[in-house]
Amino acid sequence: MNALSRIFFETGTRQGWIEDGGGQEGPVVLAVSGGGDSMALLWLFRTFYEGKIIVAHLEHGIRGEASQEDASFVQEAAQCWGLESEVRHVDVPGLLERGESLEMGARRLRHAFLESVARKRGAWGVALGHNKEDVAETVLFNLLRGAGVRGVAGIPEQRGIFFRPLLHCSRDFLRAILRCRGISWREDQSNANEVHTRNFLRNQLIPLVEKKLNAKAVDHLVAFAEEMGYYRREEESYGTALLEAVIVCDTHKKTGNDEKSGNLDREKVRALSLRERVLLVRAMGRRLEIPTLSRERGEKLAFLMGGKKRFEFQWNGRLSVLGSRDRINWVWR
């Protein structure tokens, strides 16, 4: 218990949500799916955190009865530990935007739900249960799909109100805690479906690399992600400065259909190098809070932006980038 307490408080101090041995004012929201990672997160906060805890669970409507059972399991666990909970049921497949994958849609709706719970409850933050293996899988996944520095920097410890206290804990370590304390959890059977790339990486590729190449492959991938985080911050800072130099109007301004818009001076954009235009594209993606393009597609858009011809580039199903003689616009359809 002393070792677990030390890990918890050292993480909280490093991330800033524990100061001088105490927590923040107001409650914290814990995103609990019912899986091993999030149940370990719940136990750690229930055991060591002195502030108020709100358990939040979004039932996605994807896995039928099993999904409903996950929601009931989380609600009962919260009640058993004397904690308040917020559970919402949604139909993710029916709420997908044009061109949006099931995984992307589920993530978007989950984060929106968690943010709404935090606002409603006056919470100072939302804790997510990602672990060390999640970082390694993300690095490999993004590296292989050509995401560049932004992708191989892994999963950030903190972004906005979201923070991840378990990033330096292994999946096996977290489940060992639960077994030791006699705490049950739910296994998502869809994690065994290797049609999904992340499941293939988790169940096949990473174990093979650990067996054949290096038993500490996950640790090395995590260390690589931390190192690349420095370059990601440098890149983001420079990209933001480039964007401010070529922007014509505030991209946070709402348009008539309540969407964010983007408008760049094309002549100024053409004066940038291809590499600078790639950074500009990524900066606009962050500004508009839209999915990141792969390296290949980002370079293709950057190339089009540097020419003089009119173009239309589809960012995703609803969003296009339009290039005219004088302007480059991000437009929602």
Side-chain angles (χ1 to χ4, degrees), residues 311-325:
F311 70 85
E312 179 173 352
F313 178 92
Q314 189 173 37
W315 189 290
N316 60 24
R318 296 181 56 226
L319 176 63
S320 294
V321 184
L322 305 181
S324 65
R325 185 172 64 86

Side-chain angles (χ1 to χ4, degrees), residues 8 17 28-57 70-87 127-130 163 165-166 174 177-178 181 183-186:
F8 182 84
W17 43 270
V28 61
V29 174
L30 304 186
V32 181
S33 68
D37 301 328
S38 65
M39 289 302 294
L41 177 74
L42 178 57
W43 181 83
L44 285 165
F45 269 84
R46 178 66 178 81
T47 303
F48 299 117
Y49 187 71
E50 296 181 356
K52 185 176 181 180
I53 296 169
I54 308 295
V55 175
H57 176 88
D70 287 349
S72 298
F73 174 81
V74 170
Q75 210 161 18
E76 290 170 6
Q79 185 177 8
C80 179
W81 284 347
L83 302 175
E84 297 180 35
S85 63
E86 293 262 0
V87 176
L128 305 176
H130 297 96
F163 66 102
L166 307 181
L174 295 172
I177 292 174
L178 297 179
R181 309 307 301 181
I183 300 168
S184 60
W185 69 90
R186 299 272 299 174

Side-chain angles (χ1 to χ4, degrees), residues 65 68 103-104 107 328:
E65 186 176 344
Q68 297 284 347
E103 183 179 15
M104 289 173 58
R107 182 181 182 277
I328 299 172

Side-chain angles (χ1 to χ4, degrees), residues 135 138-140 142-143 145 147-155 225 232 292:
V135 176
T138 298
V139 170
L140 271 183
N142 288 335
L143 181 65
R145 77 184 185 97
V149 171
R150 178 177 173 82
V152 297
I155 304 173
R232 173 175 171 167
T292 306

Side-chain angles (χ1 to χ4, degrees), residues 20-290:
D20 299 325
Q24 305 281 345
E25 292 185 7
V28 61
V29 174
L30 304 186
V32 181
S33 68
D37 301 328
S38 65
M39 289 302 294
L41 177 74
L42 178 57
W43 181 83
L44 285 165
F45 269 84
R46 178 66 178 81
T47 303
F48 299 117
Y49 187 71
E50 296 181 356
K52 185 176 181 180
I53 296 169
I54 308 295
V55 175
H57 176 88
L58 184 68
E59 192 273 301
H60 295 109
I62 297 175
R63 294 183 294 110
E65 186 176 344
S67 186
Q68 297 284 347
E69 290 173 353
D70 287 349
S72 298
F73 174 81
V74 170
Q75 210 161 18
E76 290 170 6
Q79 185 177 8
C80 179
W81 284 347
L83 302 175
E84 297 180 35
S85 63
E86 293 262 0
V87 176
R88 184 178 301 172
H89 302 267
V90 298
D91 174 25
V92 169
L95 295 172
L96 293 179
E97 298 179 348
R98 189 173 65 183
E100 188 175 45
S101 70
L102 190 64
E103 183 179 15
M104 289 173 58
R107 182 181 182 277
R108 174 178 58 82
L109 292 168
R110 182 170 60 252
H111 278 222
F113 162 67
L114 293 170
E115 287 178 337
S116 71
V117 172
R119 286 194 302 271
K120 173 183 174 182
R121 297 294 193 128
W124 56 262
V126 177
L128 305 176
H130 297 96
N131 61 44
K132 182 163 61 175
E133 282 81 4
D134 290 324
V135 176
E137 292 159 14
T138 298
V139 170
L140 271 183
F141 178 78
N142 288 335
L143 181 65
L144 295 175
R145 77 184 185 97
V149 171
R150 178 177 173 82
V152 297
I155 304 173
E157 276 199 295
Q158 295 168 279
R159 176 158 292 176
I161 64 170
F162 295 99
F163 66 102
R164 298 172 171 87
L166 307 181
L167 282 188
H168 292 277
C169 299
S170 72
R171 193 171 286 136
D172 287 345
F173 174 72
L174 295 172
R175 280 154 179 73
I177 292 174
L178 297 179
R179 292 190 186 97
C180 181
R181 309 307 301 181
I183 300 168
S184 60
W185 69 90
R186 299 272 299 174
E187 289 289 357
D188 184 347
Q189 297 304 314
S190 67
N191 288 335
N193 185 355
E194 292 174 5
V195 170
H196 304 296
T197 304
R198 283 185 177 273
N199 291 345
F200 169 74
L201 294 175
R202 177 183 303 126
N203 301 329
Q204 295 292 332
L205 184 57
I206 290 179
L208 179 64
V209 170
E210 290 176 323
K211 180 179 180 180
K212 297 292 186 179
L213 295 179
N214 194 313
K216 292 188 174 295
V218 167
D219 290 333
H220 295 324
L221 285 168
V222 171
F224 173 67
E226 291 176 350
E227 186 173 337
M228 294 306 294
Y230 168 80
Y231 296 102
R232 173 175 171 167
R233 291 188 292 273
E234 290 289 302
E235 178 186 278
E236 290 184 350
S237 178
Y238 186 42
T240 298
L242 291 171
L243 180 59
E244 295 301 327
V246 302
I247 201 164
V248 175
C249 68
D250 185 0
T251 57
H252 285 91
K253 181 180 179 180
K254 298 287 184 177
T255 62
N257 63 353
D258 200 36
E259 293 284 7
K260 298 174 183 178
S261 62
N263 192 334
L264 306 183
D265 184 315
R266 192 169 187 185
E267 183 177 355
K268 291 181 179 179
V269 171
R270 276 198 298 266
L272 303 176
S273 68
L274 177 62
R275 175 61 181 165
E276 288 173 326
R277 292 197 299 273
V278 169
L279 299 184
L280 181 68
V281 166
R282 293 175 183 171
M284 181 61 84
R286 293 192 301 275
R287 182 75 65 98
L288 298 180
E289 300 176 356
I290 52 182

Side-chain angles (χ1 to χ4, degrees), residues 1-6 43 47-48 181:
M1 289 292 286
N2 288 337
L4 291 175
S5 174
R6 185 177 67 254
W43 181 83
T47 303
F48 299 117
R181 309 307 301 181

